[in-house]
Amino acid sequence: MSTENAKRERLVVIGADATGMSAASQARRLQGPADLEIIAFERGNFTSYSACGIPYWVGGQVTERDALIARTPEEHRARDIDLRTRTEVTEIDVAGRRVRSRELDGGGESWTSYDRLVIATGARPVRPELPGIDAPGVHGVQTLDDGQALLDTLRATEGRRAVVVGAGYIGVEMAEALINRGYEVTVVNRGAEPMSTLDADMGRLVHEAMTGMGITMVDDAEVTKILTGDDGRARAVATENAEFPADVVVLGIGVRPETTLARAAGLPLGASGGLLTDRAMRVRGYEDIWAGGDCVEVLDLVSGAERHIALGTHANKHGQVIGSNVGGGYATFPGVVGTAVSKVCDLEIARTGLREKDARRAGLQYVTVTIESTSRAGYYPGAAMMTVKMLAERRTGRLLGVQIVGREGAAKRVDVAAVALTAGMTVEQMTALDLGYAPPFSPVWDPVLVAARKAVRALTSNSSDASS
């Protein structure tokens, strides 16, 4: 059939950040406008930006908002993508192969048909239904618009007391941002220790370090309300036992998959509420619908379970895979091992693979070891301490997970463990890894390999710091 007689198909994309526009751009590279029409809907003002960079923009390390934007709406449109910002999709009609959208400024509604659909609706911040949660001065931090609103509040507020609710990645990063802005910071955390993505013993190290930075840490505390003043603005955060004065409140409680549209359309969701896809990122059971990014669940290569992980690295990869498949090529996303890094001031935090409770939930028996080492040769100037915790499976010796807390040079060492996990290596195999060495960069035995050696001994002696 000639190109002139072939039907031009239409790709509709819901969400124009990492996954959505990576998919649209990759599909456009493979198919031109004569073969594929691309329409993308975005309810916000910005596209293709780094949400992970928002805390550093708020904290002042990144001085300009636009530095976080990889590609503007105008740049996407110049590539023959019909990008409609400030337009929210309100319904997916799977049987009719169409979506309903509403213009946020004008209010007009319309239906748009599709031949192929990409759902990239991301995640929504957890915002508990508490008295005062919507008061002026209370901010979530998920989008560039959120970041701008928080900055506007910080610049207009005379007081210098801030309370961060939650002590996960967002919470600790926002604590750093506010410290850099000259605020007195209190972090209220419902968990026993900050950073629930770590085991409690490693989270304790984070707690101690943050306290040493002058941050007031309040653990095992459930927020019950946001107290407001006569002007209606937030003035304090209340728990069952105390009140913490606040001129600004930042919510860092975490995120959940934004799958409201998908659920209403009857698409398959997993235990965490994320969309379920196959290796090609196609929604299971639907040949013409793909999904990726923070709204999906992905395969954990270590445990074999499906899990929700909201990270820009995965979102961009999902978009590339989807765009290749939508555009007539072929690509797959194999899964993840759960690698993440963060920092609060000069403290670096990293993890990959399973925590102890993850291993128990997966029915795995394991040993754990914990070591302390330095980032460089001990005699070389600037050597900094770090703590490395490693989990290995009993009998097989397979690496199950690594957590690292330390100063400069600690966090990115987790990448060695991430590669080992992906390759299914044993801790004994890891001890022979040919890693780079020179005194300015590492001790003769890299800290990760020191932990691997100790894990081998624990497996051999059938004893360890902790086991299950």
Side-chain angles (χ1 to χ4, degrees):
M1 182 181 293
S2 68
T3 302
E4 290 76 17
N5 294 329
K7 173 182 177 292
R8 183 171 75 148
E9 294 197 323
R10 175 182 288 168
L11 168 65
V12 168
V13 178
I14 307 174
D17 196 9
T19 297
M21 297 320 294
S22 290
S25 298
Q26 177 67 1
R28 174 57 75 228
R29 293 185 191 100
L30 297 175
Q31 289 192 304
D35 300 311
L36 182 67
E37 179 187 10
I38 302 177
I39 301 174
F41 295 99
E42 169 55 46
R43 63 185 177 186
N45 293 295
F46 305 99
T47 60
S48 301
Y49 61 87
S50 172
C52 299
I54 293 174
Y56 308 107
W57 168 41
V58 172
Q61 294 99 322
V62 177
T63 57
E64 297 294 333
R65 179 193 66 197
D66 290 354
L68 302 181
I69 300 173
R71 190 168 291 173
T72 65
E74 292 73 24
E75 289 173 318
H76 285 300
R77 291 171 186 137
R79 291 167 170 79
D80 294 303
I81 296 172
D82 181 358
L83 175 57
R84 304 175 187 181
T85 54
R86 299 286 298 160
T87 306
E88 181 177 23
V89 172
T90 57
E91 183 180 351
I92 301 172
D93 177 7
V94 174
R97 297 164 67 89
R98 59 180 186 165
V99 301
R100 186 204 298 267
S101 62
R102 177 170 60 90
E103 297 175 4
L104 296 181
D105 296 326
E109 294 193 9
S110 62
W111 286 98
T112 303
S113 62
Y114 66 82
D115 297 290
R116 309 167 202 170
L117 176 66
V118 174
I119 302 173
T121 44
R124 65 181 182 277
V126 176
R127 197 176 185 96
E129 295 183 4
L130 298 174
I133 196 73
D134 295 321
V138 180
H139 293 268
V141 187
Q142 180 73 6
T143 67
L144 283 187
D145 290 306
D146 294 337
Q148 187 63 64
L150 174 57
L151 274 175
D152 292 343
T153 293
L154 296 178
R155 289 164 179 159
T157 299
E158 293 184 3
R160 280 293 178 268
R161 299 169 301 181
V163 173
V164 177
V165 181
Y169 290 107
I170 298 172
V172 300
E173 289 170 356
M174 290 311 304
E176 175 187 358
L178 292 163
I179 284 283
N180 289 340
R181 288 280 176 184
Y183 277 73
E184 298 176 14
V185 178
T186 299
V187 176
V188 180
N189 173 37
R190 66 184 299 180
E193 302 291 353
M195 298 299 295
S196 62
T197 53
L198 304 176
D199 288 323
D201 53 343
M202 299 296 281
R204 168 53 51 174
L205 300 178
V206 178
H207 175 112
E208 293 170 353
M210 292 179 70
T211 299
M213 297 168 192
I215 298 170
T216 300
M217 299 297 296
V218 183
D219 295 320
D220 279 325
E222 188 84 33
V223 173
T224 57
K225 64 177 70 174
I226 308 296
L227 302 176
T228 56
D230 294 338
D231 58 359
R233 296 185 60 81
R235 66 170 181 82
V237 171
T239 66
E240 289 185 0
N241 303 314
E243 294 180 8
F244 303 95
D247 300 298
V248 62
V249 178
V250 178
L251 304 178
I253 307 173
V255 298
R256 295 191 180 116
E258 177 48 87
T259 50
T260 306
L261 290 172
R263 185 183 298 276
L267 301 178
L269 305 180
S272 67
L275 276 157
L276 297 175
T277 68
D278 60 19
R279 292 287 186 92
M281 304 308 299
R282 182 183 280 108
V283 174
R284 294 178 190 175
Y286 295 85
E287 287 297 313
D288 54 1
I289 304 177
W290 286 260
D294 295 353
C295 66
V296 305
E297 296 186 7
V298 293
L299 175 65
D300 185 314
L301 296 174
V302 187
S303 70
E306 303 282 348
R307 59 185 297 199
H308 176 247
I309 302 180
L311 283 176
T313 51
H314 305 155
N316 279 283
K317 292 170 187 172
H318 294 169
Q320 288 293 306
V321 169
I322 293 169
S324 295
N325 293 321
V326 167
Y330 173 68
T332 60
F333 183 79
V336 303
V337 294
T339 307
V341 296
S342 187
K343 66 183 284 288
V344 52
C345 297
D346 66 341
L347 184 75
E348 300 184 1
I349 307 161
R351 57 74 47 89
T352 189
L354 307 183
R355 299 164 296 178
E356 290 194 52
K357 67 179 181 181
D358 300 324
R360 289 193 295 268
R361 187 181 298 120
L364 300 172
Q365 293 190 357
Y366 61 92
V367 300
T368 76
V369 296
T370 302
I371 65 100
E372 290 186 349
S373 185
T374 56
S375 58
R376 304 171 181 174
Y379 55 81
Y380 193 88
M385 295 299 299
M386 72 180 73
T387 302
V388 180
K389 181 175 182 177
M390 182 172 288
L391 281 72
E393 186 179 14
R394 288 192 182 276
R395 188 176 62 81
T396 68
R398 177 173 65 115
L399 178 68
L400 294 179
V402 170
Q403 300 164 39
I404 304 175
V405 176
R407 307 292 169 169
E408 183 182 2
K412 287 296 283 180
R413 275 186 159 85
V414 81
D415 288 342
V416 173
V419 173
L421 283 167
T422 304
M425 295 180 70
T426 66
V427 289
E428 184 171 11
Q429 289 172 328
M430 289 180 66
T431 63
L433 287 173
D434 185 11
L435 304 184
Y437 162 69
F441 305 106
S442 172
V444 172
W445 280 91
D446 186 88
V448 173
L449 300 192
V450 174
R453 291 178 69 188
K454 189 173 182 180
V456 171
R457 291 196 298 271
L459 289 163
T460 303
S461 65
N462 201 34
S463 65
S464 68
D465 296 340
S467 63
S468 173

